[in-house]
Amino acid sequence: MKVALFITCLTDTFYPRTGIAVVKVLEKLGCEVAFPEAQTCCGQPMWNNGHHHEARELAKRMAEVFEPYDHVVTPSGSCAAMIRDYYGEMFEDEPAWRKRATALSDKTFEFVEFLVNVLDVDLRKHGVKWDGQATYHYSCHLRGIGITDEAVRVMKQIEGLEYKPLEKAEQCCGFGGTFAMKYPQISGTMVRDKVSCIKATQAPTVISNDAGCTMNISGSCRREKVDVNFKSLAEIIAEGMGLM
């Protein structure tokens, strides 16, 4: 199975270890993983702020770059949602591009979603072991693409990992791309509430699979002096497989 990694801007810039973990885990599970170096931003910041022409140009590039691959996997529910929810809509008046953009939408998956719903992985069969307590941030865009309890089910397949449920799990962390900049007081209140919920779990590790949420929540944790470690589930699995 030929899989291409769509790393995303934030993961590439701030959390490259997650990208490395995704590649190592997929290869361990038998996938042939490629990293198309011509990939760029998916266009989400432009689309969300009304710069639709610029977003369409980036979407065309994405469709071309990832065309040769069976599947596209990304460690971001947010960017997966951008491609799946909006790429078809972008090209309503350009049927040829709409077809190519929709083809990309149909084969794009968030990493954990890909493990569960495409590869049908059971980590217990791979002897994955990671000792420690961890809670989990369920991001809004994961809900947007229909992901529900996949990450929790995967965590429960990892020997030694004690999952500590997070109160108000379905509440946004307040990031929301430019929402945090346009409405800093509301955003700040929301993320401080999220930090309080994290603190209440007493888990030393927070699993967060969206880089934007991770940046927002981890920054607030530092300011509120809540000493926790952030990891993606890809990193946990890779460590549990002895790959990192």
Side-chain angles (χ1 to χ4, degrees), residues 38-114:
Q39 64 182 281
T40 57
C41 173
C42 65
Q44 183 177 179
M46 299 76 174
W47 185 256
N48 289 349
N49 287 285
H51 301 290
H52 290 180
H53 171 73
E54 290 81 359
R56 276 192 290 271
E57 292 305 303
L58 287 170
K60 288 178 181 178
R61 183 182 178 89
M62 290 284 289
E64 288 178 331
V65 167
F66 288 105
E67 211 152 38
Y69 304 98
D70 300 325
H71 299 284
V72 177
V73 175
T74 178
S76 167
S78 179
C79 296
M82 175 65 200
I83 294 170
R84 281 164 46 172
D85 291 345
Y86 298 107
Y87 270 24
E89 173 187 331
M90 280 183 176
F91 299 107
E92 286 184 343
D93 299 327
E94 298 180 75
W97 275 111
R98 182 180 174 87
K99 182 178 180 181
R100 295 176 75 177
T102 301
L104 175 58
S105 302
D106 291 345
K107 63 181 181 182
T108 297
F109 297 89
E110 188 273 338
F111 169 68
V112 178
E113 176 188 35
F114 187 73

Side-chain angles (χ1 to χ4, degrees), residues 14 46 60 95 101 111 145 164 181 186 192 233 236 241:
F14 297 104
M46 299 76 174
K60 288 178 181 178
F111 169 68
I145 58 174
K164 307 282 282 188
M181 289 176 273
I186 299 172
R192 284 192 293 275
L233 190 50
I236 297 278
M241 286 179 160

Side-chain angles (χ1 to χ4, degrees), residues 3 20 26 50 58 78 83 92 94 127 133 139 164 175 180 184-186 201 213 221-222 241:
V3 176
I20 294 169
L26 291 178
L58 287 170
S78 179
I83 294 170
E92 286 184 343
E94 298 180 75
Q133 295 180 331
S139 74
K164 307 282 282 188
F175 179 61
Q185 290 183 323
I186 299 172
T201 68
C213 302
C221 282
R222 283 194 297 273
M241 286 179 160

Side-chain angles (χ1 to χ4, degrees), residues 124-198:
R124 288 167 292 209
K125 296 179 180 177
H126 297 273
V128 181
K129 189 174 187 301
W130 190 92
D131 290 321
Q133 295 180 331
T135 189
Y136 166 65
H137 169 61
Y138 178 35
S139 74
C140 302
H141 276 119
L142 290 177
R143 286 194 294 280
I145 58 174
I147 295 178
T148 56
D149 64 344
E150 284 86 344
V152 173
R153 283 190 276 144
V154 168
M155 282 186 267
K156 291 181 176 178
Q157 295 172 3
I158 299 174
E159 182 184 347
L161 195 165
E162 183 182 348
Y163 166 57
K164 307 282 282 188
L166 189 67
E167 188 183 1
K168 303 178 187 177
E170 296 196 359
Q171 183 171 294
C172 175
C173 70
F175 179 61
T178 53
F179 175 82
M181 289 176 273
K182 291 179 178 176
Y183 306 99
Q185 290 183 323
I186 299 172
S187 173
T189 300
M190 293 170 74
V191 73
R192 284 192 293 275
D193 194 29
K194 183 67 69 179
V195 170
S196 296
C197 294
I198 290 170

